[in-house]
Amino acid sequence: MIIEVNDLIKRYKDFLAIDHLNLTIGDGELFGLLGPNGAGKTTLVNAILGLTAVDHGTINVFGEALSTSERAIKKQIGLVPQDIAVYPELTAQENVTLFGKLFGLRGEALRKGVADALEFTGLTDIRNKKPSQFSGGMKRRLNIACAIVHKPRLIIMDEPTVGIDPQSRNYILESVKKLNDMHCTVIYISHYMEEVASICTRIAIVDKGRIIAKGTQEELGRLIEDDQVVSVGVTAPDYSIIEKLKRLPAVKDATVDGHTIRIVLSERKLNAVLDTFLEEDLTITKIETNTPTLEDVFLTLTGRALREGAQ
Amino acid sequence: MPIFQNNLKRFLNNKMNFVLIMLIPLIFISLSFSGSGTQKAKVGIIDRDRTQLTQAIKKAIRNQADIAPIAQKSLRTDLTNNRIDTVLVIPKNFTRSLISGKPIKTESYHVQESNVSSGIRTYISGYLQDLSVMAHAARGNSTQFYKSLQSYQQNHLGLSVSSPDRTGAMRERTVSALGFVIFGLFMIVSVSSRMIMEDKRLKLYTRFFTTPLSVRSYNIQNILSYLTLSAVTIILLLALLVFGFHAALGPSLVNIFLVLLLFSIVSISIGVLISSVARTAGQANALSLLVVTPVAMLGGCFWPIRITPVFMQKIADFMPTTWGMRALTTLVYGNGLKDVMMDLLILAGFAALFFLLGSWRRTDIAS
Ligand SMILES: Nc1ncnc2c1ncn2[C@@H]1O[C@H](COP(=O)(O)OP(=O)(O)OP(=O)(O)O)[C@@H](O)[C@H]1O
Ligand SMILES: [Mg+2]
C-alpha cells in the first residue's frame, strides 16, 4: 500500500475538518480525490505530509508511519501545492534547481532531474525567464516541475489546474496520465468532475471531512444506476412545487435553477411528477431526461452541487 | 545548504538591501569624518576639586592648548573679548564620582560659533570619555584606575606628539562612525524579517517542508545566511574606516569585528522574533521600522548617550544598541576584550532571549 489512512480526525477548534476518515491507495493507482470547497482535501494532504498535527488516527506512507523515517519518505513524495509556490524573482530553472537540491539531488543527477522536469512540463524554452512574466498556465506547470524534479514514487497534486485555459489544462491532464504510465502513483485532487472522470482509475468523493463514496467510475455510477435525472422547463417556477415534488416517494431530490426544475428520481416513473406540475397549473416548456453523471452522484449523495455556481 | 545559498542570491538580487545596510551607513560615516582638525586654543580651567586626577586633566589639556589664568568674575568678559576660547569648570567631588562610575558632570562655556574652541572642546570631551571608560573598567577601584591612567598618559603622550590626529578627537569621530555601522547592522532586522515573511507570503515556507528539509535546518540556514551577509558588510565598512578615513579603531581590529558580529546576531534574533509575531509582510515591515530607528537613537548610534537626558540614559540600558556602542567605545579607547566581557554577555543574553521568544509560538507549519 502506498497510503493507508485509518480513522483520521482533525479539528480546528470546534470545527471538524476531517471526520473519521479512512482511505487506502495502492501502488500505481491514479487516484482521484473529489470534493467541494472546504471538504478537507488539502487538510488531508497536509496531514499525510506531517505539516499539520492530527487529533486522532494513523497514517502510513509506503507502509511506514511518517515519523519513523520522515526524510526517506519525503524524498519519494512530490507535492504540487494548491497555491502556486515559487520565487517570482528566480528563473524557472533556478526554482526547479532549488527544489532538486532540497530533495537531495547533486551534480549530474540534479542537472538531469532539472532538465527532465522542465522538458516534461514544456518549460525548456523559457527556463531562463522569471515566473513574474509567466501566464497562469505556465506558472501552474512550473509549480508541477518543482514537485517532480526528483522523480518521486508518489505525486500528490492539489487542484493543479485551477484558473487556467483549457489548452494548458489538457496539457497538464495528459502529463498526469504520462506520469502514472511511468509507474508513479498519483493522487489527483480536484473539484472538477470532468477531470477526475477522464483520467482517474479510482475515485473517492469527500464531503465535510468524510469519504462518502469511493470506487471506480462505474462503481460510483452504479450507486445511482436506477436513478433518472429529469429537467423540466417552466415559464414561472414556483418554490411551492419543490416542496410538493420532494414529498413524492420516488423523488430523491428537486432543485430550481432559473427556469428549470431538476428532479432526481429513484424509479423511472414520470407520471406522478407530471401530475404534480399539472395540479400546480404550471406551463411546461420542455422535458429532458438523462442518465446520471458523477456530478449527479455527488448531488444525490450530498444534496449539494460540487462547485458553487454549477448546476 | 540550498536555503543558505538561495538567501544569498535573493539578497544580492535586491538592491534595496544594499541601500539599507551599506549605503546609508556609508553616507553618515563620511559625515562623521568631515570637518576640521584640532587647533591650539586658549582654555580657562576652574578646578574646584583639586586632586591628582584634575592635575592630570590639566596636564593633558596643556599638551593640546594654552591654559590661560582666569578668575570667576571676569569669565564672561574674557570669553566675549576672545581672551579665552573656552572655559572648563570641574565641580567638587568630580574625581570621587567619576571613579565610582557615575556620569561625568563638568560645565563648559564658550562663545557660540567659536571655531577655534571646537577642536579643544571635542578633545576634552573625548578625554573625559576616556576617563569614564577607564573608571568603568576599573570598577570603582581607585588604585586600579590611577594605574591605567598612568599607562594611558604614557601611550597618549607618545601618540599626540607623533600624530596629533590620533587623539581623542579622532577616537570620538571613530566612535561616531561606528554608531552608523551598528545602525547599518541593525537594519538586518528589517532584511531578515522581510525575507522570512516573503517565504511565508509566497507559500514557500509550507512547501519547503514537503521536502526532506526540517524546520530546524531551515532556521539554521536562514540565520547563517544573514550572519554571512553581516560579516561581509562589517568587513567592507571596517575596510572603509581603516583605509578611507584612517579611523582610530583601538589596538585590535579583530575585537571590533567580533563585537559587531555579535551585534548582528542580536539583529537577526530580533528579525526572527518579528517574523514570528507578524502575520503579514506589511506588519513585519512596520514593526521593524518601529524598532530599528528609535532603538538606534536611544542606544547612542547617532549621538553620544551622555548628552541625552538622564531618563533616556536609563531607558538606554534596555537597548542592545547601547551595549554594542559601549563595547565598541571601550575597545576604541584602547581596551581589550576582557574589559567588554560584561557588554558582550548582555548582548548574547539579548540574542538568546529574542531567539527564544521567536521560537515560542510553534504552530502548525501549514497554518
Ligand atoms: N488553519 C485553519 N484554521 C481553521 N480552519 C481551517 C484551517 N485550515 C482549513 N480550515 C477549514 O477546514 C476546512 C477544510 O479546509 P481544506 O482547505 O482542507 O478544504 P479543501 O477541501 O482543500 O477546499 P478547497 O477546494 O477550497 O481547497 C475548511 O472549512 C477550512 O475553513
Ligand atoms: Mg484545498
Side-chain angles (χ1 to χ4, degrees), chain A residues 10 12 46 49-53 70-71 74-75 77 79-81 83-90 94-95 98-99 101-104 106 130 142-147, chain B residues 1-7 9-11 13-14 195 198-215 217-218 221-222 363-367:
Chain A
K10 169 71 189 176
Y12 291 112
N46 286 339
L49 282 159
L51 302 179
T52 188
E70 187 164 346
R71 284 182 63 85
K74 282 185 170 178
K75 259 192 182 169
I77 305 180
L79 169 72
V80 181
D83 300 300
I84 295 167
V86 296
Y87 281 113
E89 77 264 32
L90 299 185
E94 286 171 328
N95 270 298
L98 171 63
F99 278 93
K101 286 181 187 167
L102 286 171
F103 280 112
R106 295 291 182 273
K130 293 176 181 172
L142 178 58
N143 207 30
I144 294 173
C146 291
Chain B
M1 301 233 292
I3 298 290
F4 174 83
Q5 293 163 3
N6 196 50
N7 273 357
K9 193 189 273 173
R10 287 166 65 205
F11 179 87
N13 271 350
N14 188 341
M195 282 171 80
E198 200 181 40
D199 280 358
K200 292 190 176 169
R201 181 178 62 85
L202 295 169
K203 311 274 183 182
L204 278 156
Y205 180 79
T206 314
R207 184 169 196 177
F208 284 148
F209 304 114
T210 67
T211 77
L213 181 73
S214 67
V215 176
S217 170
Y218 171 82
Q221 291 189 51
N222 262 337
T363 47
D364 271 0
I365 293 167
S367 51

Side-chain angles (χ1 to χ4, degrees), chain A residues 39-252:
Chain A
K41 306 182 293 294
T42 302
T43 306
L44 174 63
V45 171
N46 286 339
I48 290 174
L49 282 159
L51 302 179
T52 188
V54 299
D55 296 293
H56 182 260
T58 57
I59 302 172
N60 284 359
V61 186
F62 309 132
E64 281 181 293
L66 187 69
S67 53
T68 56
S69 47
E70 187 164 346
R71 284 182 63 85
I73 290 175
K74 282 185 170 178
K75 259 192 182 169
Q76 301 182 72
I77 305 180
L79 169 72
V80 181
Q82 180 168 1
D83 300 300
I84 295 167
V86 296
Y87 281 113
E89 77 264 32
L90 299 185
T91 65
Q93 177 157 309
E94 286 171 328
N95 270 298
V96 180
T97 306
L98 171 63
F99 278 93
K101 286 181 187 167
L102 286 171
F103 280 112
L105 302 182
R106 295 291 182 273
E108 180 56 23
L110 176 64
R111 200 199 57 73
K112 182 149 191 329
V114 171
D116 288 352
L118 289 170
E119 182 67 42
F120 189 82
T121 48
L123 295 172
T124 308
D125 292 342
I126 49 168
R127 63 183 181 277
N128 290 323
K129 288 213 171 115
K130 293 176 181 172
S132 47
Q133 309 159 10
F134 282 8
S135 72
M138 285 147 105
K139 281 186 199 158
R140 284 277 163 202
R141 269 142 58 194
L142 178 58
N143 207 30
I144 294 173
C146 291
I148 58 171
V149 57
H150 57 306
K151 308 206 161 62
R153 207 174 139 194
L154 167 67
I155 298 176
I156 305 175
M157 298 182 145
D158 196 350
E159 307 196 24
T161 59
V162 169
I164 59 176
D165 57 288
Q167 212 179 334
S168 284
R169 169 186 291 203
N170 284 340
Y171 188 98
I172 288 176
L173 290 177
E174 284 308 312
S175 316
V176 174
K177 266 201 271 189
K178 250 198 283 176
L179 282 170
N180 185 236
D181 289 342
M182 301 186 315
H183 307 292
C184 189
T185 307
V186 179
I187 302 177
Y188 190 93
I189 298 172
S190 178
H191 54 200
Y192 290 108
M193 194 66 70
E194 326 80 76
E195 286 188 351
V196 173
S198 72
I199 61 169
C200 294
T201 46
R202 221 153 61 89
I203 298 161
I205 297 178
V206 195
D207 186 42
K208 294 179 180 159
R210 279 173 301 136
I211 291 192
I212 53 172
K214 65 185 153 196
T216 61
Q217 220 185 120
E218 295 79 60
E219 283 167 348
L220 290 176
R222 225 172 289 143
L223 283 176
I224 54 167
E225 196 173 34
D226 298 328
D227 292 5
Q228 188 173 32
V229 182
V230 187
S231 304
V232 182
V234 288
T235 45
D238 170 356
Y239 286 88
S240 66
I241 190 160
I242 300 293
E243 296 306 313
K244 277 202 172 165
L245 284 169
K246 279 186 173 171
R247 256 179 257 135
L248 297 175
V251 172
K252 273 188 166 178

Side-chain angles (χ1 to χ4, degrees), chain B residues 227-249:
Chain B
L227 202 58
T228 307
L229 295 169
S230 310
V232 173
T233 309
I234 296 170
I235 290 170
L236 290 177
L237 289 178
L238 283 186
L240 177 84
L241 286 181
V242 172
F243 300 113
F245 296 107
H246 308 289
L249 285 161

Side-chain angles (χ1 to χ4, degrees), chain B residues 99 131 133-152 335 338-339:
Chain B
I99 292 177
L131 291 177
V133 168
M134 276 183 271
H136 176 61
R139 298 202 174 79
N141 180 334
S142 80
T143 333
Q144 173 71 36
F145 173 76
Y146 279 113
K147 229 165 71 191
S148 49
L149 176 63
Q150 199 173 7
S151 68
Y152 172 82
N335 300 282
K338 64 178 191 313
D339 301 307

